[in-house]
Amino acid sequence: MKRLPPLPTLHTFLITAQCCNFTRAAEQLHITQGAVSRQIAGLEDHLGYALFQRQARGLSLTAQGQAWLPRVQQVFSLIGEAVEQIGEKRQTLQLKAPTCVMRWLLPRLLQWQKERPDVPVELTTTVRHGVDFQREAFDAAVVYGPPPDASLDCLHLFDEQLTPVCSRPLLEGPVPLDSPIDLQQHLLLHPTADERDWKAWLAAADVHLSNVSKGQHFETLDLAMSMASQGTGVAIGDWSLIGEDLSAGRLVMPFDLKVRTGLGYHLVCPRKPEVSGPLQELMGWLVEQAQTR
């Protein structure tokens, strides 16, 4: 096969053919007029025929030059599309999420990376439950709380449903845990400092306990669940987040009552005319995972 002409020389031909003037081509390419003339002459010598007719007031394409122009335009168009598409596939999506959702989110992101290694995701965790896209450079975020306002594109993942959980040895141990009133004899584990989760569940169960404030408090849901799985006490957890712990037997539910708080988890991103394909795919996939949990 005949040796192909150098790509920079073809680019010089493309620019020169579009303006039919060595001087204007040199200005666009940021090289001298003489350099443009030499590259075109070298390309014509390589091909064995003229691409331009030199005229007193400029240039015009020969029949061969006219045949070359659309083909070279197509080549550079394909290269441009490849740069854009491949660059988009390799772009790492930046995702923010509160620590309380990690028990649900992290295993699914690991599964996503196995299925879609071409769309990497970088996860940033925080104890905060919201996001400010104007100040924070994230593509999307999982937020906890009431439904976000209309300034964001929002997809609902699941609602918060509170229920007590503990280890099976504790449930089957010598201290009864047959009804909610039996919680009076157990150490209550709080995933937050304000005790609101236990108070909400006990109010729904119509039970008053005197040991609520005597329980152990943690900074995160994950710590409270870990201590509960070790038999330390009974934790109040979000059923929506601990499905895998329940399925694996690390935690059990002593009671059937699940209390909806009116809060939930939502997947949000900035409202834009067009969301990138990879981000749309990731968000849609996470919603599907939430619906089949």
Side-chain angles (χ1 to χ4, degrees), residues 7-20:
L7 191 62
T9 303
L10 290 178
H11 185 240
T12 299
F13 164 76
L14 176 61
I15 299 301
T16 306
Q18 289 172 342
C19 59
C20 282

Side-chain angles (χ1 to χ4, degrees), residues 46-201:
H46 178 90
L47 297 173
Y49 44 79
L51 298 171
F52 294 94
Q53 292 178 349
R54 278 70 171 174
Q55 299 169 339
R57 294 186 178 181
L59 305 171
S60 63
L61 288 167
T62 64
Q64 291 89 342
Q66 292 175 3
W68 261 93
L69 179 57
R71 291 169 170 82
V72 175
Q73 288 174 326
Q74 183 180 21
V75 167
F76 280 93
S77 176
L78 290 172
I79 292 174
E81 291 177 5
V83 169
E84 182 177 347
Q85 293 174 5
I86 295 173
E88 182 179 355
K89 289 181 179 179
R90 291 182 179 177
Q91 181 182 1
T92 300
L93 297 177
Q94 300 294 326
L95 180 65
K96 179 184 179 182
T99 54
C100 57
V101 80
M102 284 302 101
R103 298 178 81 84
W104 179 86
L105 180 60
L106 191 56
R108 285 157 180 82
L109 286 182
L110 293 175
Q111 181 62 34
W112 167 264
Q113 295 295 202
K114 290 181 181 179
E115 297 180 10
R116 294 297 306 274
D118 59 314
V119 185
V121 179
E122 184 173 301
L123 176 64
T124 298
T125 61
T126 174
V127 294
R128 296 177 57 196
H129 294 156
V131 64
D132 184 352
F133 287 113
Q134 293 184 345
R135 298 184 179 182
E136 301 176 274
F138 295 105
D139 296 296
V142 177
V143 297
Y144 164 75
D149 59 54
S151 64
L152 300 175
D153 281 334
C154 176
L155 297 175
H156 177 258
L157 291 175
F158 38 75
D159 296 320
E160 182 178 49
Q161 300 182 67
L162 299 177
T163 190
V165 292
C166 62
S167 68
R168 183 165 295 281
L170 186 145
L171 179 65
E172 299 174 350
V175 182
L177 196 54
D178 299 323
S179 68
I181 195 63
D182 293 333
L183 290 166
Q184 181 70 51
Q185 309 303 318
H186 291 269
L187 177 67
L188 302 186
L189 307 180
H190 299 271
T192 60
D194 58 14
E195 304 172 357
R196 67 180 184 274
D197 291 347
W198 265 118
K199 290 178 179 179
W201 189 87

Side-chain angles (χ1 to χ4, degrees), residues 210-249:
S210 62
N211 64 332
V212 174
S213 297
K214 298 177 183 179
Q216 190 167 354
H217 299 75
F218 300 91
E219 293 183 357
T220 66
L221 175 71
D222 189 62
L223 287 173
M225 295 301 104
S226 295
M227 294 301 292
S229 66
Q230 296 173 28
T232 303
V234 183
I236 188 75
D238 185 347
W239 177 83
S240 300
L241 301 178
I242 59 175
E244 293 187 8
D245 293 287
L246 296 171
S247 299

